[in-house]
């Protein structure tokens, strides 16, 4: 809740909370305003089949079923042309998607005609091909048969998509069909992501003794982007509080983000760069009764929302999922991609009584739909276990106030792989 208040206030204060995005790069974005259809779909009555456009009255039933009618063949109507009116007593070869000629009110598929195929159009001028004297068609064709009438999908001016719609392929396809090439979407929260630690080295660079590769930047960037935020800048900063403070203020002055996230440097050691560097800022460092993700920092730096996550990679993930993802969802309008289920533990486990422990696990769906699945814990509770994280598909909640969870105990899991 504190994180949501912090983020929502900051995001609302930002002048550009919406932006225009071309359709081609709008997948996954959230519509900021209702979109009304600028035109109808289909825009004109057209044929649903390759066949003959007819006046249904010319094929009115006047005898037994199976009766056929011979009609004179009119000029062919390919897709993409505006045809002349259909003369009574004639049938015009028409292709799927081609505009129905004025007067025609039905289409007979080519399969029901005699002959039941069109001559090849290769090399012929489009509208003059397929000249044939007459065609035999079945009688008793109802008006409207195989006609896709104008506006039968959506009418001009009708609501197409409401504000708040998440733009997936179907929604983007509709907008494209309507001729819309850009949409107003909610702006993405912009994040400055700082990782700290003298021991932390970018992936790809060699390690000296005592050093480790930076997992947190990649983990947190991926989580942020998946949750609809954009990362303005990332940095790996050394354990110098002065340099940390200097760089942070420099970055904030260059381009103000909506949120700053740091990882590391906030617990009880001698070199807690974030804690020491922000001594005079409006940031509170606290200990949450959660494991991993116990040490946390929250506040504002130069008025900008600020969160400090602990340095262990799994602590970052758990902090993100518990505190930041719900708050980000509220400001972006994106749904939470973490289904919450109940599952039965495959083996018993102990958890510290005073803490909400979040373990990693593999969720196994139930054999019978409607019954409860199982979850098998992967790795131990320690927050450095990135391999265990990578081979898990769920976070497993062991709530505070209970120490023993026997095999078969019901627990809440959040699925990670959706
Ligand atoms: N005496 C105490 N020691 C510790 C406590 C405590 O309460 N008392 N809390 C422990 C817990 S829990 C955590 S979590 C960590 C949090 O410490 P910091 O936030 O200060 O993080 P660091 O010390 O900088 O790093 C912790 C750990 O994570 C590794 N790390 C840091 N950054 C990265 C990165 N970008 N990629 C991969 N790994 C990273 C770092 O090397 C450390 O191993 O404190 C405990 N200690
Ligand atoms: O709380 Mo720490 O985040 O266990 O690793």
């Amino acid at each position: 809740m504190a994180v949501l208040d912090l983020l929502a206030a900051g995001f609302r204060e930002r002048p550009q909370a919406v932006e225009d995005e071309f359709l081609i790069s709008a997948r996954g974005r959230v519509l900021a305003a209702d979109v009304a259809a600028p035109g109808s779909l289909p825009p004109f009555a057209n044929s649903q089949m390759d066949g003959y456009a007819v006046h249904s009255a010319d094929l009115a039933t006047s005898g037994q079923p199976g009766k056929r009618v011979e009609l004179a063949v009119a000029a062919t109507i390919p897709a993409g042309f505006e045809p002349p009116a259909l003369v009574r007593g004639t049938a015009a070869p028409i292709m799927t998607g081609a505009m129905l000629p004025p007067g025609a009110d039905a289409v007979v598929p080519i399969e029901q005609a005699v002959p039941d195929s069109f001559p090849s159009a290769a090399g012929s001028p489009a509208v003059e091909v397929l000249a044939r004297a007459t065609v035999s068609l079945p009688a008793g064709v109802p008006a409207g048969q195989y006609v896709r009438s104008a506006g039968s999908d959506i009418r001009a001016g009708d609501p197409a998509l409401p504000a708040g719609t998440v733009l997936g392929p179907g929604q983007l396809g509709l907008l494209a069909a309507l001729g819309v090439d850009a949409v107003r979407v909610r702006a993405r929260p912009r994040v400055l992501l700082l990782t700290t630690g003298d021991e932390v080295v970018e992936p790809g660079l060699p390690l000296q003794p005592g050093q480790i590769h930076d997992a947190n930047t990649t983990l947190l960037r991926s989580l942020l982007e998946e949750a609809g935020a954009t990362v303005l800048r990332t940095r790996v900063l050394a354990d110098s509080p002065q340099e940390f403070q200097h760089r942070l203020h420099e970055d904030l002055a260059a381009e103000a983000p909506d949120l700053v996230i740091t990882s590391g440097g906030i617990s009880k050691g001698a070199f807690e760069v974030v804690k020491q560097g922000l001594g005079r800022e409006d940031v509170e460092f606290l200990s949450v009764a959660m494991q991993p993700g116990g040490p946390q920092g929250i506040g504002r730096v130069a008025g900008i929302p600020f969160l400090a996550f602990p340095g262990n990679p799994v602590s970052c993930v758990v902090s993100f999922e518990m505190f930041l993802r719900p708050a980000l969802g509220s400001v972006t309008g994106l749904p939470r991609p973490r289904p919450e289920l109940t599952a039965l533990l495959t083996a018993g486990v102990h958890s510290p009584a005073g803490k909400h422990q979040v373990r990693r696990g593999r969720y196994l769906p139930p054999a019978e739909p409607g019954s409860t699945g199982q979850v098998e814990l992967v790795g131990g509770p320690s927050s450095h276990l990135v391999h265990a994280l990578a081979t898990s598909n769920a976070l497993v909640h062991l709530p505070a106030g209970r120490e023993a969870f026997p095999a078969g105990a019901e627990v809440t899991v959040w699925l990670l792989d959706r």
Side-chain angles (χ1 to χ4, degrees), residues 195-196 199-200 212-216 264-268 272 295 310-313 315:
T195 300
T196 63
E199 77 280 25
V200 177
I212 56 161
H213 283 125
D214 172 17
N216 295 355
I266 61 167
S267 59
K268 309 264 185 213
E272 303 297 10
N312 281 303
S315 311

Side-chain angles (χ1 to χ4, degrees), residues 7-373:
L7 211 60
F11 203 61
R12 267 198 301 272
E13 284 157 18
R14 193 174 141 192
Q16 281 306 321
V18 298
E19 60 197 17
D20 293 325
E21 192 64 79
F22 284 114
L23 225 50
I24 195 126
S25 39
R27 188 168 60 82
R29 303 299 296 271
V30 179
L31 268 188
D34 295 345
V35 176
S40 292
L41 286 181
F44 49 86
N46 68 90
S47 177
Q48 192 175 332
M49 291 283 185
D50 299 319
Y52 284 91
V54 295
H55 292 267
S56 60
D58 289 344
L59 300 175
T61 342
S62 58
Q64 312 80 4
K67 196 175 171 222
R68 302 187 69 83
V69 177
E70 197 82 10
L71 294 178
V73 174
T76 296
I77 310 168
F81 287 82
E82 186 180 4
L86 185 69
V87 174
R88 282 297 303 261
T90 69
I94 189 166
M95 305 307 135
T96 304
M99 188 184 248
L100 216 66
D105 64 354
V107 172
V108 179
I110 185 68
E111 294 86 337
Q112 293 172 17
V114 177
D116 64 359
S117 65
F118 299 118
S120 166
S124 314
V127 187
E128 288 164 25
V129 293
L130 319 179
R132 207 196 294 279
T134 62
V135 64
S136 160
L137 300 174
V141 166
Q145 171 177 286
Y146 296 124
V147 174
R148 305 191 288 205
S149 57
S152 54
D153 193 2
I154 187 166
R155 288 177 188 282
D158 279 358
L161 295 171
T165 300
V166 180
L167 297 173
Q171 294 70 36
L172 292 169
L174 167 64
L175 293 168
L178 287 168
V180 173
D181 69 340
V183 277
R184 184 144 294 185
V185 292
R186 293 195 198 173
R188 292 183 161 118
R190 297 164 312 160
V191 180
L192 170 65
L193 179 57
L194 305 176
T195 300
T196 63
D198 283 344
E199 77 280 25
V200 177
V201 173
E202 273 182 48
L205 297 179
L207 296 180
Q208 301 303 320
Q211 293 185 328
I212 56 161
H213 283 125
D214 172 17
N216 295 355
T217 300
T218 300
L219 264 174
L220 286 170
R221 179 197 274 276
S222 314
L223 288 165
L224 285 162
E225 289 177 352
E226 186 189 49
T230 192
V231 176
L232 287 181
R233 177 189 277 281
T234 66
R235 280 189 195 279
V236 178
L237 295 172
D239 281 330
S240 153
Q242 293 73 27
E243 193 196 327
F244 174 80
Q245 201 185 36
H246 174 73
R247 285 283 189 194
L248 173 59
H249 283 283
E250 203 176 60
D251 284 346
L252 295 182
E255 188 174 13
D258 299 298
L259 173 68
V260 180
I261 302 175
T262 61
S263 80
I266 61 167
S267 59
K268 309 264 185 213
F271 310 101
E272 303 297 10
V273 57
V274 175
K275 217 181 201 175
Q276 292 164 11
L278 297 181
R280 281 173 304 176
E281 306 282 355
D282 177 21
V283 178
E284 184 190 355
F285 292 94
L286 63 159
S287 182
V288 178
M290 182 172 91
Q291 201 273 314
Q296 297 285 336
I298 181 167
R300 286 174 181 269
V301 174
I304 292 170
F306 179 93
L307 291 177
F309 288 162
N312 281 303
V314 181
S315 311
C316 286
V317 173
V318 171
S319 304
F320 181 92
E321 293 296 339
M322 295 289 287
F323 305 128
L324 186 50
R325 189 188 285 282
L328 275 176
S330 297
V331 298
T332 59
L334 288 170
R336 183 167 166 265
R338 302 282 185 250
E340 183 174 311
L341 302 171
T342 296
L344 308 176
L345 284 173
T346 56
V349 62
H350 279 79
S351 161
K355 290 191 178 179
H356 180 113
Q357 194 176 62
V358 183
R359 299 283 296 265
R360 277 63 64 206
R362 252 190 301 272
Y363 173 72
L364 314 157
E368 299 285 316
S371 54
T372 309

Side-chain angles (χ1 to χ4, degrees), residues 396-414:
V396 184
H397 294 273
L398 305 177
R402 182 171 171 192
E403 268 176 279
F405 295 80
E410 271 195 4
V411 290
T412 299
V413 300
W414 290 356

